[in-house]
């Protein structure tokens, strides 16, 4: 097979998918469904592309990639990836055509390692080899070349009316005595290993930052937050130093203007800047969550998606405040809290979401039911099945719709029971149950839907026809050989209405069945 030369058009999508996987890994554990999906999609593209290439050679021009034979690649995501490699002291990168799927997953893990930690073990290349990646090679400066790690991006937070992508770096403020002193203090504390000496220097930094904040210099004050966050979260420091750094970070966060600046960096920017600020918020802990929730609830905010991602990254630290938000008397905030609990996928939120099913607001019940389905634990699923049998119509409808989003086939028996002639379920519940079976799919769901097609009743004929139409559409949505056989059988032997419905459903099955 002839090998094509890598081009900007063929390599840019690969870098973008790698950047997306790194971004996902910064917020999700390796076993999270979103992380698995990102890795699967990235791996498929990379392996398919490398079959036709004799490797990929990349260098850097500022914060963009350059192919060895020309062609600069840049843009959102790609620039972040280039910046992450530069921060990790990588000058050139070569990907060999023998690269394997496991090596791609390991490459992502190395890319999210702290730069200082990589430096401590011998650099990015050593990190790759330790992780079992041998088909990606790098060129890095020698230790005595003294290339400093990149400093945090210094950008003013965007306003809520501006798109996050337009956040532009701000020029460094005019140097002052306080700024010069802070730079010296931060350099000294970076190499401090004695806990008592560290506490003394941390107090001095606190005094300098307080003076800077009085003059409105939040940018340099923010730098000290990142240093303390790195020390509080780092594995290279003693426990006493980590505790002192965390306490100093929380003390700085009590300043409203500095906290607002930190939130802006986490929620209104992207890439390395956002990651660093998010790590600081995670070190601050639960006291940062109310600030994030206020930002999430701001009307017209264009940073809600990124703010949600930060809250998800905070995990269990965010749970108590989000649960409290769920009980608010403001329906929109409660609905947003229920949605957030589902996205967090924390089983400890199930009990509170079950309570939300008793709300008088039907939209809150729907959000709570969807969140329970997304968490998908046994307790969550059991609660939805109980709600499906509720005499309260709105609750039963919400449960029927949500069960279609539950993983696996565990909800099929409950949905089938709701479709039984003697169930007493309302027509709306039955319709939602049919559509949910179509979302779940599988042989068991098709068997239940086939029974709906086979029903015959003189009374309520119009309602039965509506159900059968939904059942035919649901079977077509599931697709596959079994679905085609069922629809074809009723196309031949069903009544007039059912034949027409199955004919229309077969036309929707654009993917042909396997012979």
């Amino acid at each position: 097979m002839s090998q094509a030369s890598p081009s900007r058009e063929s390599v840019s999508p690969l870098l973008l998918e790698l950047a997306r996987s790194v971004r996902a890994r910064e917020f999700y554990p390796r076993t999270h469904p979103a992380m698995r999906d990102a890795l699967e999609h990235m791996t498929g593209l990379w392996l398919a592309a490398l079959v036709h290439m004799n490797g990929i050679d990349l260098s850097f021009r500022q914060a963009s990639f350059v192919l060895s034979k020309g062609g600069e690649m840049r843009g959102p995501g790609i620039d972040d990836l280039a910046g992450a490699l530069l921060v990790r002291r990588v000058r050139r990168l070569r990907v060999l055509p023998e690269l394997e799927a496991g090596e791609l997953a390991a490459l992502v893990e190395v890319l999210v390692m702290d730069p200082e930690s990589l430096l401590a073990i011998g650099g990015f290349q050593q990190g790759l080899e330790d992780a079992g990646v041998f088909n990606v090679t790098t060129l890095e400066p020698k230790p005595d070349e003294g290339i400093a790690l990149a400093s945090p991006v210094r950008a003013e937070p965007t306003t809520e009316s501006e798109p996050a992508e337009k956040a532009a770096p701000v020029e460094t403020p005019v140097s002052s005595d306080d700024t010069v002193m802070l730079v010296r203090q931060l350099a000294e504390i970076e190499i401090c290993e004695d806990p008592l000496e560290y506490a003394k220097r941390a107090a001095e930094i606190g005094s300098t930052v307080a003076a800077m904040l009085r003059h409105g210099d939040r940018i340099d004050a923010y730098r000290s937050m990142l240093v303390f966050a790195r020390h509080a979260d780092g594995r290279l420091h003693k426990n006493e130093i980590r505790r002192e750094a965390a306490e100093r970070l929380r003390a700085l966060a009590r300043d409203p203007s500095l906290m607002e600046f930190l939130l802006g960096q986490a929620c209104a920017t992207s890439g390395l800047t956002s990651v660093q600020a998010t790590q600081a918020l995670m070190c601050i802990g639960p006291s940062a969550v109310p600030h994030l929730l206020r930002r999430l609830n701001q009307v017209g905010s264009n940073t809600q998606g990124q703010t949600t991602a930060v809250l998800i990254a905070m995990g269990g630290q965010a749970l108590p405040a989000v649960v409290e938000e769920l009980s608010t008397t403001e329906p929109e905030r409660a609905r947003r809290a229920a949605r957030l609990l589902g996205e967090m996928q924390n089983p400890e939120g199930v009990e509170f979401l079950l309570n939300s099913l008793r709300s008088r607001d039907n939209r809150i019940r729907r959000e709570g039911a969807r969140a329970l389905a997304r968490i998908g634990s046994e307790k969550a699923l059991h609660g939805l099945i109980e709600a499906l049998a509720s005499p309260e119509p709105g609750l039963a409808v919400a449960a029927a719709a949500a069960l279609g989003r539950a993983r696996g086939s565990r909800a099929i028996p409950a949905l089938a029971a709701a479709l039984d002639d003697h169930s007493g379920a309302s027509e709306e519940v039955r319709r939602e149950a049919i559509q949910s079976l179509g979302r779940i799919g599988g042989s068991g769901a098709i068997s239940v839907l086939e029974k709906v097609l086979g029903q015959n009743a003189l009374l309520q004929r119009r309602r039965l026809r509506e159900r059968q139409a939904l059942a035919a559409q649901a079977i077509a949505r599931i697709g596959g050989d079994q679905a085609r056989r069922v629809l074809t059988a009723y196309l031949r032997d069903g009544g007039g209405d059912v034949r027409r419905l199955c004919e229309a459903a077969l036309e929707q099955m654009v993917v042909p069945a396997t012979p």
Side-chain angles (χ1 to χ4, degrees):
M1 180 181 295
S2 61
Q3 300 294 307
S5 297
S7 65
R8 183 170 56 187
E9 291 73 18
S10 61
V11 176
S12 291
L14 305 183
L15 296 176
L16 182 58
E17 286 306 318
L18 177 58
R20 287 173 175 166
S21 293
V22 172
R23 178 70 169 165
R25 183 65 182 91
E26 289 165 348
F27 289 105
Y28 297 112
R30 281 177 292 181
T31 57
H32 193 282
M35 190 63 232
R36 289 200 299 265
D37 290 346
L39 283 175
E40 182 178 351
H41 189 253
M42 177 194 69
T43 301
L45 287 178
W46 271 84
L47 297 185
L50 287 172
V51 169
H52 306 287
M53 298 180 189
N54 189 25
I56 302 172
D57 285 295
L58 297 164
S59 57
F60 302 94
R61 181 176 298 146
Q62 294 180 341
S64 63
F65 288 97
V66 181
L67 284 167
S68 59
K69 295 184 178 180
E72 184 176 4
M73 294 165 290
R74 62 180 311 123
I78 293 178
D79 290 353
D80 293 339
L81 180 61
L85 285 164
L86 285 170
V87 165
R88 287 156 179 80
R89 303 166 60 93
V90 177
R91 286 179 172 177
R92 300 183 69 90
L93 187 74
R94 174 161 174 73
V95 182
L96 303 179
E98 296 80 14
L99 185 69
E100 298 178 355
E103 291 180 298
L104 273 168
L107 173 60
V108 171
E109 294 299 315
V110 179
L111 278 166
V112 298
M113 286 182 65
D114 181 70
E116 285 88 347
S117 299
L118 281 172
L119 191 60
I121 64 173
F124 191 81
Q125 183 66 51
Q126 188 61 52
L128 290 175
E129 294 176 7
D130 291 349
V133 182
F134 300 102
N135 286 303
V136 177
T137 60
T138 67
L139 174 64
E140 302 171 49
K142 298 177 181 178
D144 57 3
E145 291 186 57
I147 294 181
L149 296 176
S151 299
V153 177
R154 293 150 59 90
E156 288 283 4
T158 57
T159 63
E160 293 298 339
S161 60
E162 295 176 326
E165 291 77 5
K166 293 184 180 180
V170 175
E171 294 295 326
T172 304
V174 177
S175 180
S176 66
D177 290 342
D178 285 338
T179 301
V180 173
M181 183 181 298
L182 181 64
V183 171
R184 177 182 59 78
Q185 290 170 335
L186 292 177
E188 290 173 349
I189 204 170
E190 286 281 19
I191 58 175
C192 184
E193 297 182 359
D194 178 70
L196 293 177
E197 185 67 21
Y198 187 95
K200 176 184 175 182
R201 296 188 182 278
E204 292 172 351
I205 290 173
S207 299
T208 304
V209 169
M212 300 178 87
L213 290 173
R214 285 195 293 271
H215 293 92
D217 186 356
R218 296 180 299 170
I219 299 177
D220 284 307
Y222 169 68
R223 291 180 63 190
S224 64
M225 296 187 85
L226 296 184
V227 170
F228 283 133
R230 190 167 65 251
H231 294 175
D233 192 44
R235 290 170 290 181
L236 304 179
H237 298 286
K238 299 175 182 178
N239 288 338
E240 296 91 339
I241 289 179
R242 294 175 64 181
R243 285 194 293 268
E244 178 68 28
E247 183 55 41
R248 287 295 170 182
L249 176 61
R250 285 191 285 268
L252 291 176
R254 296 188 189 106
D255 182 277
S257 66
L258 193 52
M259 172 56 86
E260 194 60 31
F261 189 91
L262 175 61
L263 292 171
Q265 300 306 292
C267 304
T269 60
S270 60
L272 182 61
T273 303
S274 176
V275 171
Q276 290 173 324
T278 299
Q279 289 171 340
L281 288 168
M282 293 170 69
C283 290
I284 292 168
S287 63
V289 178
H291 299 279
L292 287 163
L293 289 173
R294 279 197 293 273
R295 179 175 284 265
L296 186 67
N297 289 319
Q298 287 174 348
V299 177
S301 171
N302 61 1
T303 64
Q304 287 181 340
Q306 179 67 11
T307 305
T308 298
V310 174
L311 283 162
I312 292 172
M314 295 195 71
Q317 295 184 109
L319 185 65
V322 178
V323 166
E324 185 176 349
E325 192 81 355
L326 186 62
S327 61
T328 182
T329 57
E330 299 179 33
E332 186 58 37
R333 286 174 56 189
R335 288 195 294 273
R336 192 172 288 117
R339 191 180 310 126
L340 181 57
L341 283 171
E343 291 172 336
M344 291 168 68
Q345 295 188 343
N346 190 328
E348 293 183 17
V350 169
E351 190 65 42
F352 305 99
L353 288 167
L354 290 173
N355 290 335
S356 75
L357 298 182
R358 304 189 186 102
S359 171
R360 295 181 180 180
D361 189 312
N362 195 43
R363 290 174 295 178
I364 293 177
R365 287 193 298 227
R366 281 186 174 273
E367 285 293 353
R370 291 192 191 104
L372 287 166
R374 189 162 188 173
I375 293 173
S377 66
E378 288 294 334
K379 185 175 182 179
L381 186 60
H382 181 70
L384 287 174
I385 291 173
E386 282 190 345
L388 179 61
S390 169
E392 169 58 44
L395 177 55
V397 170
L403 284 168
R405 296 174 172 83
R407 302 185 188 93
S409 59
R410 295 174 295 170
I412 291 178
L415 294 169
L419 292 172
D420 188 271
D421 289 336
H422 306 292
S423 69
S426 70
E427 201 60 32
E428 190 175 1
V429 169
R430 293 171 186 266
R431 289 196 295 267
E432 290 289 356
I434 291 171
Q435 293 180 83
S436 285
L437 287 166
R439 295 188 196 102
I440 294 173
S443 175
I446 291 177
S447 298
V448 177
L449 294 167
E450 183 180 2
K451 292 179 181 178
V452 177
L453 285 180
Q455 288 179 340
N456 188 11
L458 296 177
L459 299 177
Q460 299 184 337
R461 183 173 179 179
R462 181 179 62 80
R463 292 183 176 179
L464 177 58
R465 187 182 185 283
E466 291 176 355
R467 286 182 229 156
Q468 290 173 328
L470 289 173
Q473 293 166 7
I475 292 173
R477 176 177 180 172
I478 295 171
D481 291 341
Q482 183 184 1
R484 186 173 292 276
R485 285 196 298 270
V486 168
L487 293 174
T488 302
Y490 278 93
L491 183 63
R492 182 180 62 249
D493 301 328
D497 286 344
V498 174
R499 284 199 300 271
R500 285 189 290 274
L501 293 171
C502 291
E503 182 179 12
L506 280 166
E507 292 175 356
Q508 297 174 19
M509 293 180 62
V510 294
V511 180
T514 304

